[in-house]
Amino acid sequence: MTTIHEPRRYESLSAAAERTGLSVKTLRRRIAEGRLPAYRSGPRSIRVDPADVNRLMVRIPTATT
């Protein structure tokens, strides 16, 4: 049985920042802290997996009435 995997998708830090409303600087800090995995493609190009960026966004619990 052959399993077909979808190719991983990556986005630039600027695209991730625009999509989430976070700043590129914040994303770079999360990478430096080890909270956001990042991938280098060439000497300057850094890419992140959108699913990893989404996991940074944690819902704040609210009181139920």
Side-chain angles (χ1 to χ4, degrees):
M1 177 184 214
T2 304
T3 303
I4 299 174
H5 296 282
E6 286 193 33
R8 287 184 81 175
R9 304 263 183 211
Y10 299 97
E11 62 186 350
S12 66
L13 294 181
S14 60
E18 184 175 325
R19 183 173 60 81
T20 60
L22 298 171
S23 70
V24 171
K25 188 173 183 178
T26 295
L27 294 173
R28 288 184 183 276
R29 278 196 299 259
R30 298 303 179 264
I31 292 167
E33 293 167 355
R35 292 179 52 197
L36 177 61
Y39 306 89
R40 189 173 294 280
S41 173
R44 296 178 51 106
S45 179
I46 296 174
R47 299 286 185 257
V48 291
D49 186 327
D52 291 333
V53 177
N54 291 345
R55 280 190 280 280
L56 287 176
M57 308 301 283
V58 179
R59 184 174 181 198
I60 298 172
T62 58
T64 58
T65 53

